[in-house]
Amino acid sequence: MKITAVIMAGGKGERFWPQSRANRPKQFLSLTNDGETMIQKTVARLTDIVDINDVFVVTNENYIGLVKEQLTDLPDGNIIAEPKARNTAPCIALAAQIIKKKYGDAVMMVLPSDHLIKFTEMYVDTLRKAIEAAEKDKNLVTIGITPSYPETGYGYIQFSDMDESMPGAYKVARFVEKPNIELAKEYVNSGTYLWNSGMFVWKASSIIANIEQFLPDVAEGSAKIGETYGTDAFDSTLKSVFPELTAESIDFGVMEKAKDIYTIPGNFGWDDVGSWLAVERVNGADEYGNVEKGDIVSINTKNSTLIGGKRLVAAVGLEDIVVVDTDDALLICAKDSTQDIKKIIESLKNCNRNELV
Amino acid sequence: MKITAVIMAGGKGERFWPQSRANRPKQFLSLTNDGETMIQKTVARLTDIVDINDVFVVTNENYIGLVKEQLTDLPDGNIIAEPKARNTAPCIALAAQIIKKKYGDAVMMVLPSDHLIKFTEMYVDTLRKAIEAAEKDKNLVTIGITPSYPETGYGYIQFSDMDESMPGAYKVARFVEKPNIELAKEYVNSGTYLWNSGMFVWKASSIIANIEQFLPDVAEGSAKIGETYGTDAFDSTLKSVFPELTAESIDFGVMEKAKDIYTIPGNFGWDDVGSWLAVERVNGADEYGNVEKGDIVSINTKNSTLIGGKRLVAAVGLEDIVVVDTDDALLICAKDSTQDIKKIIESLKNCNRNELV
C-alpha cells in the first residue's frame, strides 16, 4: 500500500521565545548546531520510507512561505494550510480525506514537525513495524517511547499484550493524561507504560471511519473539503468550512475512545524539545555543564545554557541560567522557570508590543 | 586665599564593563537616571566654592576629547594630560606646580571624578571646613567618611583629638590599608576610624614641601614641568619628563609618612560607586529589590539589577543577578561575582578583541 506522511507544523512554539516568534515558531528554527531546522530534519529522516511527493505538511496559513522556503522539494499542492487553528483532529481528518481523494487509500504516518530523534535507523525500523500493523484491519497505531525517567510533562500509554500476528505491536490498554510525580514514578516502575509521542500511523480509511464514529461533524466537514481537493473550489471550501469544525485533539477526540489501538514501543533517542532545557540534552554540555553557542565568554559559570546572537555574551558566576540573545530581545531565565517564559509573551501582548511576540 | 580644585580623571574604571571601555571609563559615564556623567556631577557640585577657571582636570591624554566634550566651560589650559599613568603622587605634584606657577600659591582640593555624593550642601560644608584647616601652616587635610558598615574594600583613617583651633578637624593617628572583615568590624565599632575617601585639601606649597621631603625625584621632575606651564615648551617637557617619574600613590608616598595630617569627618551620602552593585545603592531598588533601567520585562525576579540597552531584556526567575546590555556586548553576572568582571576583560585582551575592552 502507498505510504504517506502528514507532518503537523501548525504549532506556535512559544516556549522558545525569543528565538521563536509568532511568525517563526519552533519547527522553523534550528536548535542544533548543524543549521538544519526542525521541520527539515523531520522530512529528511523519512527519506527511506516515503517519497517527498507523498509528504503532506499541515500548517497555519501564515507559515506557507516558511514551509516553501525550508522544504524546497515539497510540491505546493502538498501544503495544507489551516485558515484557523482547530487542534489536531480536524487537520488530521482533512489530511486523511485529501489522501483518500488522491490515492483511494494509503497509510498515513502522522508526525510532529518539532521533535528531534537521535537514532534515525531505529526510528525508521519502528515506523516500518507501525506501518505493517496499520495495514491490517482498521488498526490505529501510536508510537510509544520507552520512558527513561518519570516525566510529568507527557501523557502516558498503558499497553497490555503483544499481538502475535504483528511483531513489536502491543495492544493499548488506555491513554492517561500528564500525571503527577508519584503516578509518573509508578508508571515508569511498572514497565507497562510508554510516553505518548504524538506520532500515529494508520490507513486514511481507518482514521476516517473512527472520526465518523466519534466526531461526526469533523468527519462531514473534512469530507466536504476533501472532495474539492485538486479543484478550483478547494481554497474557498477550506476557508468557509474548516474554521467551523469542532476544535478537538485527536488524542481526546478519537484515540482515548477507539478500539483496535496498538502501540509500537520505540527507543530511538526521541526528544520533544519542549523547552530551552532541551538544548542541553540535544547538544550536550561541556565539562562545566554549560552549553555555549555563539560568541560567549564565561567565568566561574556552570550548568548554564548560553545562546549568543550577534554580540558578545559575557557570563560571570552564573549557575542554572538560560540566556538567549537575539537582535531585538534578550532572555535571561532561571532553569527552573522556563515554564514562565509564556508570561513574558503575555506581558508583551498586553502592552501591544506584537513585533516582539 | 585662592581656592582651586584638581579633579582626578585618569582612571580606567574596568569594573563597569561593558558600559565602561578603555576609551570611555566610568568617570565619563552616567550611572544615574539623570543623564549627567560622573565627572560632570563632580564639577557641578563645586560651583559654590570654586570658579570653573580654577578647576583643573588631570587625565590620561586619551581622554582629552571626552573631558572637553563633557566639561564645555572648562578652559583648555586647565586640562592636564598625563602622557603615561604614574599613579596619583606624580600627577598631584604636577598639578601643585602648575597652580604654584599660575597663582603663586592656592588651596587645592584634590577630588576623584567618579564618586557620587547625595547631600551636596553637607559636602560643600565639609570642604569649607577642610579649606579652613588647610590654609593653616603646612597642614594636609583628608576627608574621612563616617563608616556605616564594616566595608573591606576601603582603606581606613584612624583619628585622635580634635584640634581646638580648627572646628571639625581631627588629628590623623594613622592610615590603614583595606582590612579583613574582623578588623573592619573592630574599626567601625571603635568609633575612631573613618573610610579613606581619596579626597584631599591642602595648599599647593604644603604638598610640594611634603613631596620634596618624601619623593624628591617626583618633586624635581614635576617642578621642571611646572616651570614651563603657559609656554611653548610645556608639552614637550611634559612628554619627556613625566613618564620617568616614580609611579607612586599619594597615600603611600606621602600621607602615611607626613606630619600635620588632619581629617574632617564627612557624612554626605558618599558612594565611590565601586562596582555594578552600587547602582542599586545609588538609584534605589523597587519593592522586589530590583533596579530596572531601560526596556525591561521581569517575571518572578528579585534583588537584581537590570540595565537594558537598545533591546528588550526579559528576566525570568532571576535572583541576585546583574545584567548590563550594550550594543556590542552583554554582561550577565552573579552579584557576588562582580569582582570577576575584570577576568572577562583579561580574556578579551588575550584574544586580541580590543574593540570590546
Side-chain angles (χ1 to χ4, degrees):
Chain A
M1 187 175 268
K2 167 72 81 178
I3 311 296
T4 67
V6 175
I7 312 293
M8 311 288 277
K12 291 189 294 175
E14 291 187 338
R15 287 173 294 186
F16 284 85
W17 189 90
Q19 277 195 1
S20 68
R21 300 293 171 98
N23 62 2
R24 185 178 291 265
K26 174 188 162 199
Q27 58 270 30
F28 301 110
L29 299 179
S30 170
L31 295 168
T32 48
N33 283 319
D34 56 10
E36 241 186 351
T37 67
M38 308 288 278
I39 194 168
Q40 285 173 332
K41 286 184 180 296
T42 300
V43 171
R45 68 172 82 97
L46 298 174
T47 311
D48 288 349
I49 323 181
V50 69
D51 188 276
I52 186 71
N53 294 303
D54 300 324
V55 172
F56 295 82
V57 173
V58 185
T59 191
N60 184 286
E61 61 182 13
N62 296 325
Y63 306 144
I64 295 175
L66 283 168
V67 173
K68 290 185 178 178
E69 189 185 303
Q70 298 196 358
L71 302 175
T72 49
D73 295 339
L74 186 78
D76 284 358
N78 290 20
I79 302 172
I80 306 170
E82 305 164 294
K84 189 175 177 187
R86 306 305 288 151
N87 210 331
T88 50
C91 78
I92 287 170
L94 175 59
Q97 293 289 352
I98 287 171
I99 285 163
K100 180 186 168 196
K101 171 86 176 177
K102 190 165 180 184
Y103 306 101
D105 198 1
V107 171
M108 283 169 71
M109 300 182 289
V110 177
L111 304 167
S113 57
D114 59 350
H115 294 177
L116 285 177
I117 280 151
K118 204 175 278 173
F119 307 111
T120 305
E121 281 191 45
M122 292 155 83
Y123 170 71
V124 167
D125 280 350
T126 307
L127 284 178
R128 285 206 166 105
K129 283 182 198 147
I131 290 165
E132 206 183 320
E135 284 176 330
K136 285 190 64 175
D137 308 324
K138 294 220 166 301
N139 292 347
L140 304 182
V141 182
T142 176
I143 309 291
I145 305 293
T146 319
S148 45
Y149 63 97
E151 168 69 51
T152 57
Y154 303 148
Y156 284 71
I157 301 164
Q158 189 180 23
F159 62 92
S160 55
D161 306 324
M162 176 142 50
D163 189 300
E164 297 292 325
S165 69
M166 295 181 289
Y170 294 77
K171 189 86 185 129
V172 168
R174 60 170 186 141
F175 287 86
V176 292
E177 302 283 317
K178 296 175 186 178
N180 61 33
I181 184 68
E182 286 74 28
L183 272 177
K185 284 180 183 167
E186 217 173 275
Y187 293 167
V188 171
N189 290 335
S190 76
T192 60
Y193 284 83
L194 302 169
W195 288 336
N196 184 354
S197 70
M199 294 187 254
F200 308 104
V201 183
W202 44 52
K203 285 180 287 192
S205 57
S206 308
I207 193 68
I208 288 171
N210 274 283
I211 291 170
E212 281 169 348
Q213 185 179 350
F214 299 112
L215 296 167
D217 84 295
V218 171
E220 193 187 337
S222 59
K224 197 186 268 181
I225 306 166
E227 278 158 22
T228 67
Y229 183 73
T231 74
D232 290 347
F234 179 73
D235 281 356
S236 62
T237 317
L238 179 66
K239 279 198 168 57
S240 63
V241 176
F242 193 87
E244 304 302 322
L245 301 183
T246 305
E248 185 59 271
S249 74
I250 196 77
D251 297 78
F252 187 77
V254 175
M255 300 304 281
E256 295 184 11
K257 293 160 182 160
K259 289 173 183 168
D260 304 322
I261 317 244
Y262 294 87
T263 185
I264 314 283
N267 186 7
F268 37 72
W270 172 80
D271 199 305
D272 77 332
V273 198
S275 78
W276 281 118
L277 301 184
V279 173
E280 182 184 325
R281 292 198 301 270
V282 168
N283 290 277
D286 67 17
E287 59 188 306
Y288 305 105
N290 297 329
V291 180
E292 303 189 353
K293 295 174 76 174
D295 189 6
I296 312 288
V297 179
S298 64
I299 305 283
N300 292 336
T301 290
K302 53 187 178 178
N303 301 326
S304 292
T305 294
L306 309 170
I307 302 174
K310 292 185 180 152
R311 302 157 320 136
L312 172 74
V313 175
V316 185
L318 301 187
E319 189 167 354
D320 292 323
I321 298 281
V322 175
V323 176
V324 183
D325 189 26
T326 70
D327 286 1
D328 58 354
L330 162 69
L331 170 72
I332 306 138
C333 182
K335 276 194 175 175
D336 60 8
S337 298
T338 55
Q339 75 285 357
D340 286 340
I341 292 173
K342 60 179 182 294
K343 292 184 184 167
I344 294 284
I345 298 174
E346 279 163 31
S347 165
L348 291 171
K349 282 182 182 163
N350 290 341
C351 300
N352 287 316
R353 302 187 66 181
N354 296 311
E355 74 285 2
L356 290 170
V357 167
Chain B
M1 189 176 265
K2 167 72 80 177
I3 310 296
T4 69
V6 175
I7 312 291
M8 311 289 277
K12 292 189 294 175
E14 291 187 339
R15 286 173 294 184
F16 284 84
W17 188 90
Q19 277 195 1
S20 68
R21 300 293 171 97
N23 63 3
R24 186 179 291 265
K26 176 187 161 199
Q27 59 270 30
F28 300 110
L29 299 178
S30 170
L31 295 168
T32 48
N33 283 318
D34 56 10
E36 241 186 352
T37 67
M38 308 288 276
I39 195 170
Q40 285 173 330
K41 284 184 182 298
T42 301
V43 171
R45 69 172 80 97
L46 297 174
T47 311
D48 288 349
I49 323 183
V50 68
D51 188 276
I52 187 70
N53 293 304
D54 300 324
V55 172
F56 296 82
V57 173
V58 185
T59 191
N60 184 284
E61 61 183 11
N62 296 325
Y63 306 144
I64 295 175
L66 283 168
V67 173
K68 288 185 179 178
E69 189 185 304
Q70 298 195 358
L71 302 175
T72 48
D73 294 339
L74 187 79
D76 284 359
N78 288 22
I79 303 173
I80 305 170
E82 304 164 294
K84 189 176 177 186
R86 305 306 287 151
N87 210 331
T88 49
C91 78
I92 287 170
L94 175 57
Q97 292 289 352
I98 286 172
I99 286 164
K100 179 183 168 197
K101 170 86 176 177
K102 191 165 178 183
Y103 306 100
D105 198 2
V107 172
M108 281 168 73
M109 301 181 288
V110 176
L111 305 167
S113 57
D114 60 350
H115 294 178
L116 285 177
I117 280 152
K118 204 175 280 172
F119 307 109
T120 304
E121 280 190 45
M122 291 155 81
Y123 170 70
V124 167
D125 279 351
T126 308
L127 284 178
R128 286 206 165 106
K129 282 183 198 147
I131 290 166
E132 204 182 321
E135 284 177 329
K136 286 190 64 175
D137 307 326
K138 295 218 166 303
N139 292 347
L140 304 181
V141 182
T142 176
I143 310 290
I145 305 293
T146 319
S148 44
Y149 64 95
E151 169 68 51
T152 57
Y154 302 147
Y156 284 70
I157 301 165
Q158 187 180 26
F159 63 91
S160 54
D161 307 323
M162 178 146 44
D163 189 299
E164 297 291 326
S165 69
M166 295 181 288
Y170 293 77
K171 189 86 185 130
V172 169
R174 60 173 187 139
F175 287 86
V176 292
E177 302 284 316
K178 295 175 186 178
N180 60 33
I181 184 68
E182 285 74 29
L183 271 177
K185 283 179 183 168
E186 215 172 279
Y187 292 168
V188 171
N189 290 335
S190 75
T192 60
Y193 284 83
L194 301 169
W195 288 338
N196 184 353
S197 70
M199 293 186 256
F200 307 105
V201 184
W202 46 54
K203 285 180 288 191
S205 56
S206 308
I207 192 69
I208 289 171
N210 274 283
I211 292 170
E212 281 169 348
Q213 183 178 352
F214 299 111
L215 297 167
D217 86 295
V218 171
E220 193 187 338
S222 58
K224 197 186 268 182
I225 305 166
E227 277 159 20
T228 68
Y229 183 74
T231 75
D232 290 347
F234 180 72
D235 281 355
S236 63
T237 316
L238 179 66
K239 280 196 168 59
S240 63
V241 176
F242 193 88
E244 305 302 323
L245 301 184
T246 305
E248 186 60 88
S249 74
I250 197 77
D251 296 79
F252 186 77
V254 175
M255 300 305 281
E256 295 184 12
K257 294 161 183 158
K259 288 175 186 168
D260 303 322
I261 318 245
Y262 294 87
T263 185
I264 315 282
N267 185 8
F268 37 71
W270 173 82
D271 199 305
D272 78 331
V273 198
S275 80
W276 281 117
L277 301 184
V279 173
E280 182 184 326
R281 292 198 301 269
V282 168
N283 290 276
D286 67 17
E287 58 189 304
Y288 305 105
N290 297 329
V291 180
E292 304 189 352
K293 293 173 78 173
D295 190 5
I296 311 287
V297 178
S298 64
I299 305 282
N300 293 336
T301 289
K302 52 188 179 179
N303 301 327
S304 292
T305 294
L306 309 170
I307 301 175
K310 292 186 180 150
R311 302 152 327 132
L312 173 74
V313 174
V316 185
L318 302 187
E319 189 167 354
D320 292 323
I321 299 282
V322 175
V323 176
V324 182
D325 189 26
T326 69
D327 285 2
D328 58 354
L330 163 69
L331 170 72
I332 306 138
C333 182
K335 275 194 176 174
D336 60 7
S337 298
T338 54
Q339 75 285 357
D340 285 341
I341 292 172
K342 61 180 184 292
K343 292 184 184 167
I344 294 285
I345 297 174
E346 278 163 30
S347 166
L348 291 170
K349 281 181 183 164
N350 290 341
C351 299
N352 286 316
R353 302 187 66 182
N354 296 312
E355 74 285 4
L356 291 171
V357 168

